Amino acid sequence: MTRVYIQDVSLRDGMHALRHRLPVEKVAAIAAALDEAGVDAIEVGHGDGIGGSSLTYGVSGSTDRAWIEAAASVVKRARLTTVVMPGIGRIDDINAARDCGITSIRVSVLGSEGDVAIQHLEHARRLGLDTSGFLMMSHAIDPEQLGQNAKIMEAAGAECIFIADSCGRLTPRDVTARVDALRQALRPETQIGIHAHENLSLSVANSLAAVDAGAYRVDAALAGHGAGAGNAPIEPFVAVANLYGYEHGADLFKLQDAADDLVRPLQTVPLQVNRETSTLGYAGVYSSFLRHAEAAASRYGLDTRDVIVALGERGLVGGQEDMIVDVALDLVKVRQPA
C-alpha cells in the first residue's frame, strides 16, 4: 500500500493570501484543528519564510515567533515545521524557530541554486531538525538539472527534496519527469516531496502524479489556502487518496470542517482559477507575485494579465518583488504615444 506524508501549508503559504496578517489566535485554532485531523506536519510562518517580514515581501501582522509559539502551544502530535530562504532568513532565525517549537524545516531556493542552501541545511541538521530542500520554480529547470541540484542539497543534509511548482505551471507529465530525475539522482532513502499550486487547475492531479512516480511527502492546504489560485486543496486530495487506497492518517471530514469553518471565512478574496491566476500558470510567474502585480496594474491603469505576462517574459523570481513596479512603468512607457 502506498503511504503518503501530508504536510499542511495553510499557515505559511496561506499567509500570502492574507498579506501575512493572520491573527495569532486564528493560527492556534487552525493548527489545533489540523493536528486533530491527523496531518503529518503543519507549516507556520511568514509566506516568504522566517525573517520575511519587510516592505519588499510584506510586513507581518505578527512575528514568526508569536505565530510559531501559538501553534506549538496546541499541536500535540504533528511535526511543526517552517521555511527559511537563504538571503531572507538567517541562521539565527533557524535557531529562534527551533527554540519556539519547530522540529522540522525546509530550506527554499531556486531550482538551479541548490548550492545556496548548503549552509542552512547543514546547520539545521546539526540542530537535529527534520530537514528538507525546497526547489522553487521547478518548471523552469530541466529534470536532469533539477536532479543535480537536489543531489547538492542531499549532500548538505536534506532528508527530503521537494519539487516546488511555485507558478502552478507544471503538468502531470512534467511532474513525473522531475520525480523520475530526482529518484535517479538521489539515494533510495532520500524522500521526494511535491508542492503544487492550482493556477492551471492541476494541483491535485500533479500531486497524485508525483506520488504515483515515487514521491512521499505532499503539500496541501485547507481550502487551498495559498498564493495565486492557492495550493493543492487538502480536502479533495485526501478524498482521492482514500479512493486510491493510499495509507495516511488524515480524517477527511475533519479537514472539510476546518476548511469551511475556519479558513474560508478568512479569505477576503476568493481563491480561484480566474483570468489573473490562470495567467500566472500560463506565463510561469511566481504565485506570490499576484497581489503585487494587481496593485501595480491598478496604480498605473494596466491589465493585471499584461503585467503578469511581462514578468514571465523577464523571468523574475521570488525576491524580485520590488521590480514589479518597474515592469509596470515600462509597460506604461510602451503604450504612451510618441
Side-chain angles (χ1 to χ4, degrees):
M1 182 178 291
T2 300
R3 168 77 172 135
V4 291
Y5 176 108
I6 300 175
Q7 178 156 312
D8 186 276
V9 296
S10 306
L11 298 175
R12 199 278 304 168
D13 212 331
M15 289 290 184
H16 289 295
L18 300 175
R19 300 185 185 276
H20 317 285
R21 294 187 173 274
L22 185 61
V24 170
E25 62 273 14
K26 298 294 185 182
V27 170
I30 293 169
L34 286 166
D35 193 53
E36 174 65 24
V39 299
D40 294 289
I42 301 167
E43 192 166 84
V44 185
H46 188 281
D48 289 287
I50 50 176
S53 180
S54 65
L55 291 176
T56 298
Y57 305 112
V59 177
S60 299
S62 186
T63 64
D64 292 310
R65 175 179 290 275
W67 282 328
I68 294 169
E69 288 180 342
S73 70
V74 297
V75 170
K76 299 177 181 177
R77 45 156 303 282
R79 274 178 173 162
L80 198 60
T81 187
T82 195
V83 164
V84 62
M85 297 186 186
I88 298 176
R90 304 173 302 171
I91 294 296
D92 287 347
D93 294 315
I94 299 177
N95 295 338
R98 189 275 309 269
D99 293 344
C100 292
I102 289 296
T103 61
S104 174
I105 196 164
R106 301 199 284 189
V107 181
S108 177
V109 297
L110 290 176
S112 58
E113 298 181 351
D115 57 331
V116 175
I118 292 174
Q119 182 181 16
H120 290 66
L121 286 168
E122 289 178 343
H123 183 75
R125 289 301 297 138
R126 284 195 294 269
L127 293 179
L129 298 174
D130 168 73
T131 305
S132 295
F134 195 75
L135 292 169
M136 298 185 293
M137 301 286 287
S138 290
H139 78 279
I141 314 299
D142 69 71
E144 291 72 24
Q145 185 183 6
L146 199 69
Q148 291 308 306
N149 280 277
K151 195 170 182 177
I152 292 170
M153 300 178 96
E154 177 190 62
E159 300 164 279
C160 178
I161 308 295
F162 278 84
I163 298 166
D165 186 16
S166 315
C167 307
R169 173 63 178 79
L170 293 176
T171 65
R173 67 177 63 172
D174 296 329
V175 169
T176 298
R178 282 157 177 77
V179 175
D180 286 345
L182 262 63
R183 191 71 285 155
Q184 292 176 35
L186 301 174
R187 296 190 297 266
E189 63 269 23
T190 300
Q191 298 168 1
I192 296 171
I194 181 69
H195 176 95
H197 277 266
E198 181 66 356
N199 298 335
L200 292 179
S201 297
L202 291 172
S203 62
V204 171
N206 283 342
S207 299
L208 295 167
V211 173
D212 285 345
Y216 173 59
R217 301 195 190 192
V218 176
D219 279 3
L222 293 167
H225 197 53
N231 290 101
I234 198 168
E235 312 91 78
F237 173 77
V238 169
V240 179
N242 289 346
L243 294 175
Y244 276 21
Y246 291 170
E247 182 183 356
H248 62 84
D251 185 297
L252 174 60
F253 286 2
K254 289 181 179 179
L255 291 170
Q256 290 173 338
D257 289 343
D260 286 1
D261 297 342
L262 297 177
V263 173
R264 291 190 200 280
L266 297 172
Q267 296 174 346
T268 56
V269 177
L271 289 178
Q272 58 190 351
V273 177
N274 57 24
R275 56 191 171 191
E276 289 83 17
T277 58
S278 61
T279 303
L280 288 171
Y282 177 72
V285 171
Y286 208 64
S287 293
S288 63
F289 280 9
L290 176 61
R291 302 297 173 222
H292 301 279
E294 288 175 335
S298 175
R299 183 176 180 182
Y300 298 109
L302 299 167
D303 188 319
T304 301
R305 290 171 294 179
D306 289 333
V307 176
I308 291 171
V309 169
L311 295 174
E313 290 172 347
R314 296 199 186 188
L316 295 191
V317 298
Q320 295 181 305
E321 285 83 350
D322 56 338
M323 294 182 65
I324 294 174
V325 169
D326 292 339
V327 171
L329 288 171
D330 286 345
L331 289 174
V332 171
K333 289 179 183 178
V334 169
R335 296 181 184 192
Q336 287 177 342

